[in-house]
Amino acid sequence: MLAKRYRFLIAFLLFIAGIINYMDRAALGVAAPFVKQDLNLSPSELGVIFSTFFFGYALFAFVGGQLADLYGPRSVYSWAAASWSVLCMLTGAVTGFAQMFVVRSLFGFAEGPMNSTTNRTLTTWFPREETARTIGFTFSGQTVGSAIAAPVVGLLAIQYGWRVAFVAIGAVGLLWVVAWRLLMTDRPQDNPRVSPEEIALIERSRAVTHLPPSDHARSLKEYLFLPSTLSLGLGMFAVNYTVYIFLSWLPSYLTDGLHMPVKEMALVASIPWACGFVGYVGGGILADALYKRMGDKLTARKITTIVPLAIAGVALIAVNAAPNATVAVGLIALSVLMLTSSVQSCWATIHELVPETRVGGVSGFIHLLSNISGIIGPTATGFAVQYLGGYASAFVIAALIAAAGVIAMTIFVRRPRLPASAAPLDAAKVA
């Protein structure tokens, strides 16, 4: 049975990687009340630390995608996961702002390849019609990691100190690397555990393309600066901007803005990320269902990307008018649910615009653009909290950025137009 569905084991490994990755990443946000006090950091300094991660992360999202195209996701993921796990453990040894700045910067470089490498893995391991729900499932591990980070890191920090918490969760990642090396191959054809039937299913589906022959000859540089690529980058920027604000600042917002005790925060902070899991998995299932029903495949992907992002923006505005903490947390949870539903369709849209051999590089470039939001968002939020009257202004800014993403993707995400000189030649080839 497993031999005919071995790809699901690969998906499960990617799901676990997402849990570990985001638990490691979210740990600093959860431990922030302890770290801030222990290292004597101001809100603006803490915001800078949060954003420092994303300089390396954004760059290596692109570089990692290219490396996955060149050397395969097995090797790239192995080095990345081993590196970020060790750096997570080293976080527990820092003694001041400068050391935290350096470790957090390197941590971002190590985690950068994850999503683009995951997307590259799916192009060789899964049929095209399973793309959105598989992305949704594998990426849902990220919200699970964010959800369990709050109680796991919070309770470990309370019981044993925040330094022990970082060492413990970092060690888990090294165990995952061992499993990945033993079970994963770059292509299903190279894995003796995969049946001929499953290989044929994947190859048959991936042989069907909605791209004209000339698109397969485009260079990576040409793809990077198409309007569709840049607008997807802005759309994912809009999604990630809010996600990274919540990932970095939600625990502090709950304790400082809504005046929750730390123990209560450790539990409540997991609620939005649990909803994010539903958004990833449920959104992926709905996106693939619409994809199968609609004749225009690109439009199907656009609908399930744009509509949830618009709803998330409205929910962010509504948080500022919430009459109590329960409603505020509920609206944040709705926003995260919609954001995760949107982002997995955004990743799936890339498959409709880019040939397989360019998916890693283009995914990485879009991820680079989107993660500039991580450089800007947490720092901007820190300054907003300290100088602009609190969290309300940060939520308004995030909603406006969501609106910009909706507009850009609605207008500019379309199949690339061929140069006039290339059209007759391509038509002849097709004929």
Side-chain angles (χ1 to χ4, degrees), residues 203-285:
E203 289 181 337
R204 184 168 58 248
S205 175
R206 285 289 166 180
V208 177
T209 178
H210 304 293
L211 300 172
S214 62
D215 276 21
H216 292 266
R218 285 176 180 264
S219 67
L220 175 61
K221 182 179 179 180
E222 288 181 275
Y223 274 107
L224 297 186
F225 297 102
L226 290 174
S228 57
T229 301
L230 297 175
S231 57
L232 281 175
L234 178 57
M236 204 178 290
F237 177 101
V239 171
N240 283 352
Y241 186 92
T242 301
V243 169
Y244 292 149
I245 286 176
F246 289 149
L247 192 65
S248 300
W249 284 101
L250 181 58
S252 296
Y253 169 69
L254 295 177
T255 55
D256 299 337
L258 300 182
H259 309 294
M260 288 185 184
V262 173
K263 287 186 178 180
E264 183 179 351
M265 174 277 289
L267 298 176
V268 173
S270 67
I271 294 173
W273 302 117
C275 291
F277 174 84
V278 175
Y280 269 128
V281 176
I285 292 171

Side-chain angles (χ1 to χ4, degrees), residues 60-70 76 112-113 116-117 120 359-365:
F60 266 65
F62 179 41
V63 174
Q66 290 183 292
L67 292 175
D69 281 340
L70 292 172
V76 173
S116 52
T117 304
R120 182 64 181 87
V359 167
V362 174
S363 295
F365 183 68

Side-chain angles (χ1 to χ4, degrees), residues 2-275:
L2 180 61
K4 295 182 179 179
R5 294 180 174 84
Y6 192 82
R7 65 189 184 279
F8 297 147
L9 177 60
I10 300 300
F12 180 72
L13 286 172
L14 294 171
F15 169 78
I16 298 298
I19 293 176
I20 295 168
N21 182 287
Y22 266 65
M23 184 168 62
D24 292 357
R25 189 187 309 185
L28 184 59
V30 175
F34 303 100
V35 175
K36 182 169 61 175
Q37 182 177 4
D38 193 19
L39 302 185
N40 195 27
L41 302 176
S42 69
S44 56
E45 286 178 323
L46 188 60
V48 170
I49 292 294
F50 286 143
S51 291
T52 295
F53 168 90
F54 290 98
F55 283 95
Y57 185 79
L59 176 62
F60 266 65
F62 179 41
V63 174
Q66 290 183 292
L67 292 175
D69 281 340
L70 292 172
Y71 301 109
R74 182 174 181 264
S75 295
V76 173
Y77 235 131
S78 298
W79 283 103
S83 299
W84 89 56
S85 298
V86 170
L87 286 161
C88 181
M89 297 170 74
L90 288 175
T91 304
V94 302
T95 58
F97 174 84
Q99 290 181 2
M100 182 68 83
F101 186 94
V102 172
V103 171
R104 197 68 178 173
S105 298
L106 295 174
F107 190 65
F109 280 101
E111 287 206 349
M114 179 187 164
N115 283 351
S116 52
T117 304
T118 295
N119 208 28
R120 182 64 181 87
T121 303
L122 301 186
T123 63
T124 51
W125 272 94
F126 284 85
R128 186 179 296 274
E129 59 272 14
E130 295 179 5
T131 300
R133 64 178 177 268
T134 307
I135 291 173
F137 171 69
T138 56
F139 280 32
S140 71
Q142 299 172 10
T143 55
V144 174
S146 300
I148 66 176
V152 170
V153 176
L155 295 177
L156 279 173
I158 292 170
Q159 188 69 30
Y160 302 105
W162 64 270
R163 298 179 186 278
V164 173
F166 279 96
V167 173
I169 61 176
V172 175
L174 298 178
L175 296 177
W176 179 88
V177 173
V178 174
W180 179 254
R181 298 290 299 179
L182 291 174
L183 299 172
M184 168 64 177
T185 54
D186 286 326
R187 304 187 309 156
Q189 297 91 326
D190 301 330
N191 198 314
R193 305 176 185 88
V194 182
S195 70
E197 293 85 355
E198 185 172 21
I199 293 172
L201 171 67
I202 297 168
E203 289 181 337
R204 184 168 58 248
S205 175
R206 285 289 166 180
V208 177
T209 178
H210 304 293
L211 300 172
S214 62
D215 276 21
H216 292 266
R218 285 176 180 264
S219 67
L220 175 61
K221 182 179 179 180
E222 288 181 275
Y223 274 107
L224 297 186
F225 297 102
L226 290 174
S228 57
T229 301
L230 297 175
S231 57
L232 281 175
L234 178 57
M236 204 178 290
F237 177 101
V239 171
N240 283 352
Y241 186 92
T242 301
V243 169
Y244 292 149
I245 286 176
F246 289 149
L247 192 65
S248 300
W249 284 101
L250 181 58
S252 296
Y253 169 69
L254 295 177
T255 55
D256 299 337
L258 300 182
H259 309 294
M260 288 185 184
V262 173
K263 287 186 178 180
E264 183 179 351
M265 174 277 289
L267 298 176
V268 173
S270 67
I271 294 173
W273 302 117
C275 291

